[in-house]
Amino acid sequence: MRMTDLMQEARARFANGDALLELWARTSRLPGGRRLFSRIVGRMAPYTGSIGAEVLELERGRARVMMRDRKAIRNHLDCVHAIALMNLAEETSGLATLSCLPAGRRGILRGLRIEFLKKARGTITGECRVSLGPVDGPTDFTVAVELRNASAELVCRAEADWRLGATRGPS
């Protein structure tokens, strides 16, 4: 399985929850597969890829995504930059939400709010759980994300507002 083949497949079917979960299942069981899947996500959304996050778990309606602390994402206070944390919250909420969508539907982020509870240092892990009903027409949906440090302390709480709808036409 070549990276270019996986990228083409991901671009063609990324918004389909079943295809996203199938790609996760195929890659995550390989040695280094979680990193491979995470790179695919990062290449699909290059700015998201800039934080170098790794998807730890993905199932329908649930995502756990980890970001290692490193100089490139630190601020002048010697902790993880606020925007890197926001980016992690967006990626985590997006994977959890998109994993629920049927074929022919997509999600577009419309807003993101974050509350910084303490300085974020070390590895940060985001977790999001989503329960969607049918998405028959344009639907606005808010999901909560928690970001925790390696000691399981809550460092941030975020809410992501998603517009769910058809892949073509107004939504």
Side-chain angles (χ1 to χ4, degrees):
M1 190 176 332
R2 294 184 347 219
M3 180 70 149
T4 53
D5 295 334
L6 289 171
M7 285 299 299
Q8 287 177 336
E9 179 181 339
R11 278 195 183 100
R13 303 178 355 164
F14 194 74
N16 178 332
D18 290 335
L20 180 66
L21 292 170
E22 179 186 319
L23 183 60
W24 166 255
R26 284 182 24 215
T27 56
S28 64
R29 67 177 175 234
L30 300 170
R34 289 189 330 202
R35 277 176 290 186
L36 174 61
F37 180 86
S38 301
R39 282 191 61 204
I40 292 168
V41 171
R43 290 181 88 182
M44 293 288 300
Y47 187 75
T48 296
S50 70
I51 63 169
E54 182 177 332
V55 180
L56 300 175
E57 298 174 30
L58 182 61
E59 56 191 55
R60 191 168 314 283
R62 181 172 174 271
R64 280 187 66 237
V65 182
M66 177 264 300
M67 177 176 64
R68 286 186 175 77
D69 190 351
R70 61 190 199 286
K71 186 177 179 172
I73 61 169
R74 283 192 162 240
N75 62 21
H76 64 288
L77 300 173
D78 201 32
C79 58
V80 178
H81 196 283
I83 299 305
L85 294 166
M86 202 163 210
N87 201 337
L88 178 63
E90 178 193 3
E91 181 175 356
T92 305
S93 75
L95 288 168
T97 301
L98 294 176
S99 72
C100 295
L101 293 179
R105 300 291 183 252
R106 69 175 177 182
I108 300 172
L109 186 68
R110 307 246 327 181
L112 187 59
R113 291 170 301 288
I114 193 161
E115 180 182 12
F116 303 103
L117 304 171
K118 67 180 298 175
K119 286 183 181 177
R121 291 193 170 107
T123 298
I124 306 296
T125 302
E127 185 162 359
C128 181
R129 294 176 187 271
V130 174
S131 179
L132 284 181
V135 181
D136 298 324
T139 304
D140 291 326
F141 192 75
T142 300
V143 298
V145 182
E146 291 186 343
L147 303 182
R148 296 182 180 275
N149 63 20
S151 300
E153 297 170 305
L154 188 63
V155 295
C156 298
R157 252 186 297 237
E159 288 186 332
D161 299 325
W162 289 88
R163 167 70 51 97
L164 309 176
T167 55
R168 291 210 165 89
S171 56

